[in-house]
Amino acid sequence: MDFAFDARTEELRAKLLAFMDEYVYPAEAVAEEQRALLASPWDTPAVVEELKAEARRQGLWNLFLPDAEYGAGLTNLQYAPLAEITGRSPQLAPTALNCAAPDTGNMEVLTQFGDEQQKKQWLAPLLAGEIRSAFAMTEPEVASSDATNITTHIERASDGTDDYVVTGRKWYISGAMNPDCKIFIVMGKTDPDGADIRRQQSMILVPRDTPGVTVERAMRVFGYEDHSHGGHAEVIFDHARVPASNLIGEEGGGFAIAQARLGPGRIHHCMRLIGMAERAIELMCRRAVSRDAFGKALAQQGVVHNWIADARVTVEQLRLLVLKTAWLMDTVGNRGAHAEIQAIKIATPRAVVDIIDRAIQLHGAGGVSQDFPLAELYAGARTLMIADGPDEVHQRSLARRELKKYL
Ligand SMILES: Cc1cc2nc3c(=O)[nH]c(=O)nc-3n(C[C@H](O)[C@H](O)[C@H](O)COP(=O)(O)OP(=O)(O)OC[C@H]3O[C@@H](n4cnc5c(N)ncnc54)[C@H](O)[C@@H]3O)c2cc1C
C-alpha cells in the first residue's frame, strides 16, 4: 500500500497551499469588511471575484470535476487532499476555485445527464464561474430525508404547449439568496401515483427569472444568515412554466440522478471537513502556546494535551477512511463505494464538530466571537450532520447492509 500522493497532486498541493497563504487567508477579513458595505449582504464581495480570477490564472480551477473534457480531470484520490486544503477556509476557498457546493453537484449533473443545449446554456457559464446555481429538493412540509416524500409537482402544461409547470415550496436551498444564482435544479414528481416510488420523480431546470418563482426568505442557521454561502432560501414555485426541454434526462429519472449527485457531494464535504478540523487544531495550538492562565501556558495543561492529541488521532483516522473511499470511487465506482461513502458521512461531521468544540472551549469567549473562524466552522460542520442526508438515515442503510449478511 502506497500512502504517498502522486506528482500531480503534490504539485497542485504546493500551489494551493501558497495560494491560501498569499490570497485566501488575507481575504477573509477583507470579504467581511466589503460585505458590510454592499447594497445587499447577498451580493458577492469584490475580493471574491479577485480570488476567482487569480485561482483561474494559476490553473486552480474546477479541480473537483473528474471529466477532463470539462474540468481538471483529477481522480477523487487526487482531488481529496486539495479539497481538504480549501476546507481550511470554507467560506472563501471553495468558491475561489469554482469548487463550491451546490454548484459542484449541479455541474456534475449537467455534465453527466444534461443535453447539449442544457450544457451550452447552463453548464458553460457555471464552469466559467460567471453564474451560481442551486439544488432544490427539500420541502418544509414533508420529511425530505426520504426523497420519495417530495410533493412538488412537475406537470405537463394542460394547454397543449410543450411546457412543464412546476408547483411546490422548497426550503434550505443553499446559494439561492445570491443574485448570481441564476438557475435551480428542481426535484419534483412527474408521476406522483406511479407504482414504482423511485420512478415518480424528475429533475428540471428552472431559471430564477421564470414567472412564478419567488425567493421568499433567507432561512437562518443557528439564528444567523449564512451570507458567504449565498444563504439558504425558502423558494416558492407557483405554476412556474418552463419548456419541456428543461427536463434533465428522462421523466422518472430524478431519483437516480439525485443518488448519483450525492455520492461525490458527500465525499467533498468530508474532505473539506477534515480541512476545517486541521484549521481548528492549528488555532487551538497557537492559542494554547500564547496564553497563560494560573501561572502557566494553557499548552502546559494536561487536559489541553488530551484535546490536541485526541484531535490529531481522529483527523488521521478520518483522512485515511476518506482517502480509501476516494480510491474506491476511482477504482470500483461510486456505487461500489456506497458503504464507505455512508461511513465517512456518518463519521466525519460528528468528529469534526467535537474537535471544533474543543478549540472553541480553549479560546474562551473568543471561540464564540467573530474574531476567530471557529463559531462559523462549528455551525458549518454541525449542519452537515443533517444536510445531504441526516446521520441516522446513513446509519440505517449501513446497518441494513451489514445485517443482510446474517439474514
Ligand atoms: C445548512 C443547510 C443547507 C441545506 N442545503 C440544501 C440544499 O441546497 N438543497 C436541498 O434540497 N436541501 C438542503 N438542505 C436540507 C437537507 O438536505 C435536509 O434538511 C435533510 O435532507 C433532512 O431533511 P428534513 O430537514 O426534512 O428532515 P426530516 O426528513 O424531517 O428528518 C428529521 C430527522 O429525523 C431523523 N430521521 C429521519 N429518518 C430517520 C431514520 N430512517 N431513522 C432514524 N431517524 C431518522 C433524523 O434525525 C433527521 O435529522 C440543507 C440543510 C441545511 C441545514
Side-chain angles (χ1 to χ4, degrees):
M1 205 174 289
D2 183 0
F3 287 98
F5 296 130
D6 66 13
R8 185 159 188 219
T9 310
E10 286 294 7
E11 185 201 324
L12 286 167
R13 276 189 80 237
K15 235 183 189 180
L16 182 52
L17 286 167
F19 179 75
M20 297 289 290
D21 286 339
E22 196 173 343
Y23 297 99
V24 177
Y25 299 128
E28 287 177 346
V30 179
E32 279 310 302
E33 282 162 24
Q34 289 182 348
R35 195 179 295 284
L37 301 173
L38 291 171
S40 157
W42 304 113
D43 289 342
T44 306
V47 72
V48 174
E49 293 303 332
E50 290 163 19
L51 288 175
K52 283 164 69 176
E54 182 59 27
R56 198 165 187 185
R57 197 187 64 72
Q58 295 196 21
L60 296 169
W61 194 252
N62 291 336
L63 301 175
F64 72 97
L65 205 52
D67 188 330
E69 192 187 341
Y70 300 101
L74 300 179
T75 63
N76 287 291
L77 196 55
Q78 289 173 316
Y79 178 56
L82 306 174
E84 178 188 320
I85 294 169
T86 67
R88 297 171 62 92
S89 183
Q91 315 296 349
L92 282 184
T95 304
L97 274 59
N98 214 35
C99 290
D103 300 299
T104 43
N106 295 339
M107 286 187 261
E108 276 158 9
V109 164
L110 288 168
T111 306
Q112 284 176 49
F113 304 98
D115 63 26
E116 284 316 307
Q117 175 55 29
Q118 293 168 349
K119 284 181 183 167
K120 194 168 151 214
Q121 194 173 1
W122 301 114
L123 179 61
L126 280 168
L127 287 170
E130 291 162 3
I131 62 167
R132 303 293 303 267
S133 61
F135 182 70
M137 180 154 93
T138 305
E139 300 179 1
E141 302 302 334
V142 294
S144 304
S145 52
D146 176 356
T148 63
N149 283 340
I150 296 305
T151 62
T152 293
H153 285 278
I154 304 175
E155 290 169 312
R156 279 281 182 182
S158 54
D159 58 7
T161 54
D162 196 19
D163 290 340
Y164 281 106
V165 178
V166 182
T167 303
R169 181 183 288 265
K170 304 282 188 182
W171 77 347
Y172 280 89
I173 306 312
S174 298
M177 296 303 297
N178 184 334
D180 295 338
C181 171
K182 301 293 185 201
I183 187 73
F184 296 103
I185 295 184
V186 180
M187 172 100 149
K189 287 194 175 173
T190 35
D191 184 15
D193 302 318
D196 182 350
I197 56 166
R198 290 172 177 232
R199 296 282 308 164
Q200 296 173 345
Q201 305 80 4
S202 299
M203 277 199 201
I204 196 155
L205 288 156
V206 181
R208 182 195 195 95
D209 58 6
T210 308
V213 174
T214 310
V215 177
E216 181 86 345
R217 59 173 178 154
M219 302 310 304
R220 296 183 176 178
V221 175
F222 291 115
Y224 296 95
E225 288 173 338
D226 198 353
H227 294 129
S228 51
H229 280 294
H232 310 280
E234 180 161 350
V235 185
I236 296 167
F237 298 91
D238 181 8
H239 297 88
R241 184 185 274 260
V242 293
S245 58
N246 279 25
L247 200 79
I248 303 177
E250 50 168 20
E251 267 196 21
F255 198 93
I257 297 174
Q259 293 300 312
R261 182 185 185 283
L262 286 172
R266 284 172 183 151
I267 193 168
H268 295 169
H269 277 314
C270 293
M271 294 163 180
R272 286 187 293 261
L273 277 162
I274 292 172
M276 290 159 73
E278 285 286 8
R279 182 100 189 254
I281 294 173
E282 181 187 329
L283 289 166
M284 187 151 55
C285 293
R286 287 190 190 284
R287 186 77 163 181
V289 295
S290 66
R291 219 161 147 96
D292 291 352
F294 300 99
K296 56 180 176 181
L298 292 173
Q300 287 173 277
Q301 301 287 354
V303 69
V304 174
H305 293 168
N306 294 349
W307 290 350
I308 292 170
D310 287 351
R312 171 54 54 213
V313 171
T314 303
V315 161
E316 297 300 324
Q317 290 172 330
L318 291 173
R319 185 182 287 117
L320 284 178
L321 190 52
V322 168
L323 290 175
K324 178 193 168 190
T325 307
W327 172 77
L328 277 173
M329 289 168 80
D330 293 334
T331 49
V332 296
N334 297 355
R335 256 184 177 298
H338 193 66
E340 282 76 9
I341 291 172
Q342 286 178 323
I344 57 167
K345 183 62 178 54
I346 297 163
T348 315
R350 58 163 73 152
V352 173
V353 162
D354 208 40
I355 291 170
I356 300 169
D357 189 58
R358 299 267 162 78
I360 289 174
Q361 191 68 15
L362 190 106
H363 281 72
V368 297
S369 77
Q370 70 274 39
D371 289 353
F372 295 91
L374 291 165
E376 211 162 350
L377 291 176
Y378 180 90
R382 179 62 183 87
T383 57
L384 283 169
M385 292 171 67
I386 299 170
D388 272 5
D391 287 0
E392 295 77 14
V393 175
H394 297 300
Q395 286 171 314
R396 171 178 178 264
S397 161
L398 201 61
R400 286 167 116 188
R401 181 187 289 260
E402 201 71 22
L403 285 166
K404 225 181 193 168
K405 300 174 197 163
Y406 304 94
L407 290 172

